[in-house]
Amino acid sequence: MTDATLIRTFICIELPDELKAAIAAIQEQFKMHKAHVSWVRPQNIHLTLKFLGDVEQQRLPDIIAQVNNVATAYSPFWLTPHGQGVFPTTKHPRVFWLGINDETGQLPALQAAVESALESLGFPKEQRRFQPHLTIGRVRPYRKPKDLTQAFLHLAFSASPFLVDHITVMQSELKPTGAVYTPLHVVALGEKSSPGDAGTGIV
């Protein structure tokens, strides 16, 4: 099997354009600190439910069928962007992230259902506790952006709630200019997909 038959894949919730614009404004504000941080392009920011890694192309129909089954059991729900933080610690930040509030409790249930469904296909469950967040920047190796970290943690971030009414099976292509994401399959929450929807894995 050659690398050409492998597709780097993950399951995610996509963000509305208004939220991406708000994130872009935050990034521009903190770029003035000239810290050694690689800021994620706003159009690439998403809420990851499950990262699958390199997947054989012929497995995509089964993956999509499982995602379809999960999605039919969940109604659309609202999420509210609020708060921020860093991973793993404030003394040694590696990732800058924005938080997501879920008052309905549907998000962790949906994520757990995706995990369980894909575990049945041989994808191991994530051992770390699911902590919904939006990664907006990554610290470059061996750098400690102390001033930026403190300024970021004092940011009063909040944005308008947005409706989650679908989830996406996404392809990630790593290129010298950065990752390029392409939706392979989009499935609406609470709607039963027709049998043909999982046939090609492409929409």
Side-chain angles (χ1 to χ4, degrees):
M1 184 173 294
T2 66
D3 289 344
T5 63
L6 299 177
I7 297 178
R8 195 168 186 261
T9 309
F10 60 92
I11 317 300
C12 71
I13 293 172
E14 298 182 83
L15 306 181
D17 291 339
E18 294 81 1
L19 178 53
K20 292 179 182 179
I23 293 172
I26 290 171
Q27 291 175 326
E28 288 301 318
Q29 174 185 344
F30 287 103
K31 283 178 182 178
M32 294 189 298
H33 285 256
K34 300 188 183 302
H36 293 268
V37 175
S38 296
W39 298 103
V40 181
R41 288 182 292 182
Q43 64 267 31
N44 281 357
I45 297 175
H46 54 269
L47 179 56
T48 302
L49 298 176
K50 176 69 176 176
F51 179 73
L52 301 179
D54 290 330
V55 174
E56 294 89 348
Q57 188 170 9
Q58 61 265 31
R59 299 186 69 189
L60 285 175
D62 289 339
I63 292 169
I64 288 169
Q66 290 291 344
V67 173
N68 282 342
N69 289 339
V70 170
T72 61
Y74 289 84
S75 300
F77 58 95
W78 292 85
L79 294 176
T80 303
H82 180 78
Q84 70 281 339
V86 297
F87 291 141
T89 68
T90 56
K91 289 185 177 181
H92 302 283
R94 302 295 300 154
V95 171
F96 288 82
W97 55 265
L98 299 176
I100 292 289
N101 283 353
D102 169 33
E103 295 182 358
T104 68
Q106 286 231 82
L107 179 58
L110 174 63
Q111 190 273 338
V114 170
E115 283 273 15
S116 295
L118 294 177
E119 185 183 30
S120 70
L121 296 181
F123 295 98
K125 279 190 175 182
E126 175 60 57
Q127 296 303 307
R128 292 174 295 181
R129 180 178 65 88
F130 176 60
Q131 183 173 344
H133 66 278
L134 307 174
T135 297
I136 69 166
R138 295 181 175 87
V139 180
R140 294 172 185 168
Y142 313 114
R143 301 290 183 174
K144 295 181 180 180
K146 180 178 179 181
D147 293 341
L148 173 61
T149 300
Q150 292 305 313
F152 182 73
L153 292 176
H154 284 87
L155 173 71
F157 170 71
S158 63
S160 299
F162 65 96
L163 181 66
V164 178
D165 58 6
H166 67 277
I167 55 178
T168 302
V169 180
M170 192 79 77
Q171 176 180 357
S172 171
E173 297 177 89
L174 300 180
K175 298 189 176 184
T177 54
V180 175
Y181 298 147
T182 304
L184 298 174
H185 183 76
V186 178
V187 55
L189 296 183
E191 292 186 9
K192 198 169 186 64
S193 301
S194 64
D197 287 346
T200 63
I202 305 295
V203 295

